[in-house]
Amino acid sequence: MSTAVAAGGTTATERRPATMAQALTRALRDAMAEDPTVHVMGEDVGQLGGVFRITDGLAKEFGEDRCTDTPLAEAGILGTAVGMAMYGLRPVVEMQFDAFAYPAFEQLVSHVARMRNRTRGALPMPLTIRIPYGGGIGGVEHHSDSSEAYYMATPGLQVLAPATVADAYGMLRAAIASDDPVVFLEPKRLYWSKADWSPDDPAPVAPLGRAEIRRPGSSATLLTYGPSLPVCLEAAEAAREEGWDLEVLDLRSLVPFDDETVCASVRRTGRAVVVHESTGFGGPGGEIAARITERCFHHLEAPVLRVAGFDIPYPPPMLERHHLPGVDRVLDAVARLQWESDWTESDAGGGTEGSGS
């Protein structure tokens, strides 16, 4: 174990820059080493180590029986994993890209999500489905979708979306250990993001189903997850020039949803903007905004706003920068949060709305 001398002469595990991809690989390796029932399977996960090299080295270390290359047949992959889970194994399925998972959707809805309910809890479904998702890599059609709303709308699934190196490791380990099926959404453009992290002594993370405040603030809450977290953090820093102190809340888990942490934040700030790459119409932001409005209505100083991808099929690579929510779009939304909402008699008599912060 790599160690360093801490203050006072004590020894602590050394933390070095690590990528999200490295943390995910380590999570799979540690899970497979600790539990022989954990099996990794998917297209090119063995000899190649996965398109994004997340499974690199696993076949060599654990053998092809436990890190298995499959045919190019997503429905068959997931259907096989259902049978494995029913017989006591813990399969971890990799779908190469977000939109490649659609052929397996029937298996997901009809069997993966329903099995535990169908058997009145007698038959668990310890199945983890890893899906690289979102934009930012210049992928062509079927390589850059934000499909999380489909999974959120399927009862019986947990839907997780890590955004940090520490969460990538901790949440994947928890997902694999869960007896319920988990759709584990991995933001492709954050695979190579870095943070100080120790693989030998990984920092503990919040339990599944809990959101985390990544930046405290008092003016408004930016609610986000996955690839949009860095965008919101950058926007919050830029907003200081306008006099706005923005809180950034990382949802982490879309299902189950942490109403307690979300509502505590919004009640404190009085304003909220939901930011994600998925479409606005029918996207996750609509459900999140509704939950906030139902629970925080009397604390809100302005309507809950959304910054989302446009309501179109995912655009080609040269246009995706216009499609993805950026700092400017987030700040534009914050500026529309009715910062001068207290009316005076002159306002009632026809005065114009102010523009201060």
Side-chain angles (χ1 to χ4, degrees):
M1 179 182 294
S2 177
T3 58
V5 178
T10 60
T11 300
T13 301
E14 185 177 359
R15 300 186 181 279
R16 296 181 177 179
T19 65
M20 178 179 286
Q22 291 171 327
L24 291 167
T25 302
R26 183 58 183 256
L28 291 170
R29 178 184 176 274
D30 289 353
M32 295 177 76
E34 292 180 14
D35 185 351
T37 68
V38 176
H39 288 244
V40 172
M41 55 192 296
E43 299 163 4
D44 296 321
V45 300
Q47 184 174 356
L48 181 64
V51 171
F52 297 100
R53 303 300 186 268
I54 305 301
T55 57
D56 190 32
L58 298 182
K60 182 177 180 180
E61 182 172 356
F62 298 100
E64 294 182 358
D65 286 344
R66 292 190 61 201
C67 184
T68 307
D69 284 325
T70 65
L72 305 182
E74 286 79 11
I77 297 169
L78 193 53
T80 301
V82 170
M84 294 169 66
M86 292 173 67
Y87 278 87
L89 300 178
R90 290 186 177 272
V92 181
V93 170
E94 177 181 300
M95 297 291 174
Q96 269 192 347
F97 289 91
D98 28 44
F100 288 15
Y102 300 151
F105 202 69
E106 190 278 330
Q107 289 287 338
L108 185 78
V109 174
S110 296
H111 303 293
V112 174
R114 298 173 186 263
M115 189 62 68
R116 198 158 198 186
N117 181 267
R118 179 183 296 156
T119 61
R120 298 185 180 182
L123 194 60
M125 186 53 53
L127 169 57
T128 302
I129 306 167
R130 295 179 41 246
I131 304 178
Y133 84 113
I137 65 165
V140 296
E141 187 179 14
H142 291 105
H143 290 71
S144 293
D145 274 11
S146 293
S147 316
E148 53 267 38
Y150 299 146
Y151 306 115
M152 292 174 65
T154 305
L157 300 177
Q158 297 180 77
V159 184
L160 308 180
T164 68
V165 171
D167 268 353
Y169 178 88
M171 292 173 68
L172 183 54
R173 289 298 309 274
I176 295 171
S178 174
D179 284 336
D180 289 311
V182 177
V183 174
F184 195 84
L185 299 169
E186 300 172 2
K188 294 191 290 287
R189 65 166 154 164
L190 298 188
Y191 272 147
W192 301 280
S193 61
K194 291 185 177 181
D196 288 339
W197 183 75
S198 170
D200 297 313
D201 185 23
V205 300
L208 300 185
R210 299 297 295 181
E212 285 270 37
I213 294 174
R214 302 297 184 188
R215 182 190 187 279
S218 58
S219 301
T221 301
L222 302 181
L223 301 106
T224 191
Y225 55 89
S228 295
L229 176 61
V231 175
C232 288
L233 289 171
E234 185 179 349
E237 288 302 309
R240 295 171 63 182
E241 297 181 5
E242 301 294 332
W244 299 318
D245 181 24
L246 302 182
E247 183 152 294
V248 179
L249 192 149
D250 180 4
L251 295 172
R252 302 176 70 248
S253 172
L254 299 177
V255 181
F257 190 81
D258 187 359
D259 288 300
E260 180 180 355
T261 302
V262 167
C263 290
S265 174
V266 175
R267 287 167 182 163
R268 185 170 58 253
T269 65
R271 295 174 170 88
V273 178
V274 186
V275 183
H276 57 63
E277 292 185 8
S278 185
T279 58
F281 186 85
E287 173 63 26
I288 296 169
R291 299 179 80 87
I292 292 172
T293 302
E294 290 171 355
R295 292 163 174 78
C296 307
F297 181 80
H298 295 290
H299 298 266
L300 291 173
E301 300 290 339
V304 180
L305 301 182
R306 291 171 288 165
V307 180
F310 299 121
D311 299 333
I312 59 173
Y314 198 90
M318 294 299 291
L319 298 176
E320 73 170 1
R321 71 184 185 278
H322 303 294
H323 178 77
L324 299 175
V327 171
D328 289 343
R329 288 177 61 193
V330 174
L331 293 178
D332 286 345
V334 173
R336 292 189 285 115
L337 286 173
Q338 299 181 9
W339 293 99
E340 290 188 358
S341 58
D342 293 333
W343 282 46
T344 64
E345 291 184 5
S346 61
D347 292 326
T352 59
E353 183 181 275
S355 59
S357 61

